[in-house]
Amino acid sequence: GGGGGGGGGGDYKLVAPEKALPGREKKMAGIDGLQHFVLGNDLQEVPEGFKVAVFANGCFWGSEKGIWRLPGGGVHSTAVGYCAGFTPNPTYEECCSMRSGHTEGVRVVYDPKKIAFADILRWFWEAHDPTCGMGQGNDRGTQYRSGFYYYDDAQRQLIEASKTAYEEQLGRPITTEIAAAGDYEKYGGLWYFAEPYHQQYLAKPGSRPYCSAQPQGVSLAPFEEWAPAALKESEAPKLPEAFWAEHGPKRGCSVVQAPNAVIDFVL
């Protein structure tokens, strides 16, 4: 969310799991039955054959909007929440206190027949500066760290291979946290939904047009150049280069000003 965390390049350290807040057993109120404000689908459901991707790349308001706008009908839902921390069922305040260990994240439920994991991954990289350590733009703290969390080995391989390629392109070390969703089971799970207020926040009337993401204006190298050989066909991108040329993230935050509707682009 907007503007939490102090200024400056403070050296923020992730809280130790044993020092994290205790949290609670009760899940976030108001999420059951909640429908996506733009797409209309249930936020929690994962239809048969659909997959889940979870990442963090700065303030989650803008991170989420970039994904729900992707064309082709492949994005079933997006949601914002708290991921990769140690406190069960955290609140926004707890996440921002840096005492839960979570980072502000986005959960995408997608149809792999209509949109590829590689498409979501490319948006993730290009929509922020993944070299910032514990922060993004003016937002500093462990709750703004970059991360991508995998649910299967194909996702892992694609995240790692694209990271190597993008790091070379940017010319400086990428600090993105890469970990298995299963690593967080002992803390109750990788993902916790944020308060309904934050869901699709930027699409709601009266929302504050805030975004601190720092797209670098560097297009990820072509998929064929970095994809693992075994995944080149099965995981090939669905969004064409023409889409990225016209609608991809640009230097200077543009997602806030963009319309809320899904991008009108015929695949």
Side-chain angles (χ1 to χ4, degrees):
D11 192 17
Y12 297 98
K13 293 265 189 298
L14 194 57
V15 69
E18 65 276 10
K19 294 200 172 136
L21 295 167
R24 57 200 56 75
E25 281 182 31
K26 198 173 182 335
K27 64 183 268 191
M28 184 63 70
I31 297 297
D32 282 347
L34 191 62
Q35 291 177 313
H36 194 282
F37 193 79
V38 177
L39 304 176
N41 296 320
D42 183 281
L43 276 199
Q44 297 179 91
E45 70 183 9
V46 182
E48 190 69 36
F50 284 46
K51 291 184 148 182
V52 174
V54 168
F55 65 83
N57 60 353
C59 171
F60 55 17
W61 293 343
S63 301
E64 182 193 18
K65 180 173 175 177
I67 301 292
W68 88 53
R69 300 189 68 238
L70 295 178
V75 176
H76 184 74
S77 68
T78 57
V80 294
Y82 311 117
C83 61
F86 316 117
T87 297
N89 298 293
T91 64
Y92 180 66
E93 290 68 30
E94 288 171 342
C95 178
C96 289
S97 77
M98 295 191 271
R99 293 173 62 209
S100 78
H102 293 94
T103 183
E104 292 195 7
V106 177
R107 173 185 183 259
V108 189
V109 179
Y110 66 99
D111 179 355
K113 292 189 289 298
K114 293 184 177 174
I115 192 164
F117 181 73
D119 295 316
I120 295 164
L121 186 53
R122 177 170 176 179
W123 190 278
F124 161 81
W125 288 125
E126 294 186 15
H128 78 309
D129 179 353
T131 70
C132 288
M134 297 298 182
Q136 184 65 207
N138 298 324
D139 292 332
R140 305 299 305 167
T142 58
Q143 75 271 35
Y144 296 111
R145 72 187 185 275
S146 172
F148 214 123
Y149 308 94
Y150 53 86
Y151 283 91
D152 59 40
D153 201 57
Q155 287 190 352
R156 177 189 66 78
Q157 289 185 56
L158 292 167
I159 296 165
E160 289 176 350
S162 61
K163 177 197 169 194
T164 302
Y166 207 48
E167 189 168 66
E168 200 171 295
Q169 290 179 266
L170 293 174
R172 51 193 194 278
I174 282 179
T175 55
T176 300
E177 177 174 64
I178 299 171
D183 290 355
Y184 299 91
E185 286 306 316
K186 56 181 176 284
Y187 310 116
L190 169 70
W191 174 264
Y192 293 100
F193 285 91
E195 293 78 356
Y197 166 83
H198 291 291
Q199 304 298 338
Q200 300 85 59
Y201 174 80
L202 291 176
K204 293 171 178 172
S207 64
R208 191 157 65 89
Y210 178 84
C211 180
S212 198
Q214 305 288 310
Q216 294 301 289
V218 177
S219 289
L220 178 63
F223 181 78
E224 304 70 45
E225 291 179 17
W226 56 261
L231 300 177
K232 279 191 176 166
E233 280 193 31
S234 59
E235 296 287 341
K238 311 258 193 240
L239 296 177
E241 212 47 55
F243 165 80
W244 294 96
E246 191 179 344
H247 299 287
K250 309 279 188 282
R251 270 190 88 99
C253 193
S254 53
V255 75
V256 169
Q257 278 74 42
N260 293 315
V262 173
I263 293 167
D264 184 18
F265 186 92
V266 180
L267 296 183

